[in-house]
């Protein structure tokens, strides 16, 4: 009988967070969209952030709240939109927390070996575009998954 505990996944590194930011900006620029990108670690601490000066000012807050939402609920924000509609199970949740959540596509949890290690949020484009940029960024950093 083995007494070794399972090993924890390696934490999201600053270098990986910065690579996610670069990849997301590359995808957005290819589409002609200016965005802000936020990467949080598993504890909700900011690891990397970039706001293009041409992006809408609030896009920075939007990207951070999308990342926070994906992290707190361990799900892509695009999958959560219907849960906050009136009479939905999360209807009152966005205002019940210290930091309001944002249920708009563009936030993805970041996993390594199936375990949550952080989150990525993108704001500035249409929600579907932001989700696509986030997905492209994760694909570009091959050691990570949504």
């Amino acid at each position: 009988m083995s007494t070794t505990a399972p090993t924890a996944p390696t934490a999201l590194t600053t270098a990986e967070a910065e690579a996610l930011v670069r990849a997301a900006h590359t995808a957005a620029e290819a589409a002609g969209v200016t965005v802000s990108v936020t990467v949080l670690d598993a504890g909700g601490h900011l690891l990397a952030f970039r706001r293009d000066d041409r992006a809408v000012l609030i896009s920075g807050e939007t990207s951070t709240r999308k990342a926070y939402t994906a992290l707190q609920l361990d799900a892509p924000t695009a999958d959560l939109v219907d849960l906050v509609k009136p009479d939905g199970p999360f209807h009152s949740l966005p205002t019940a927390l210290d930091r309001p959540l944002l249920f708009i596509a563009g936030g993805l949890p970041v996993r390594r070996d199936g375990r949550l290690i952080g989150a990525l949020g993108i704001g500035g484009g249409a929600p579907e575009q932001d989700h696509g940029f986030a997905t492209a960024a994760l694909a570009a950093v091959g050691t990570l998954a949504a």
Side-chain angles (χ1 to χ4, degrees), residues 53-125:
D53 287 340
R54 298 167 293 161
V56 177
L57 185 58
I58 197 167
S59 68
E61 175 65 18
T62 300
S63 68
T64 300
R65 287 178 55 198
K66 287 179 181 182
Y68 183 75
T69 303
L71 180 68
Q72 292 301 306
L73 299 176
D74 192 9
T77 55
D79 294 349
L80 302 169
V81 174
D82 289 338
L83 300 176
V84 294
K85 291 182 178 175
D87 298 322
F90 291 172
H91 179 64
S92 63
L93 185 61
T95 57
L97 301 171
D98 289 337
R99 180 183 290 171
L101 302 179
L102 191 58
F103 295 89
I104 300 173
L108 291 177
V110 177
R111 294 185 179 83
R112 185 184 331 271
D113 300 326
R115 293 193 176 167
L116 183 67
I117 61 169
L120 167 66
I122 300 179

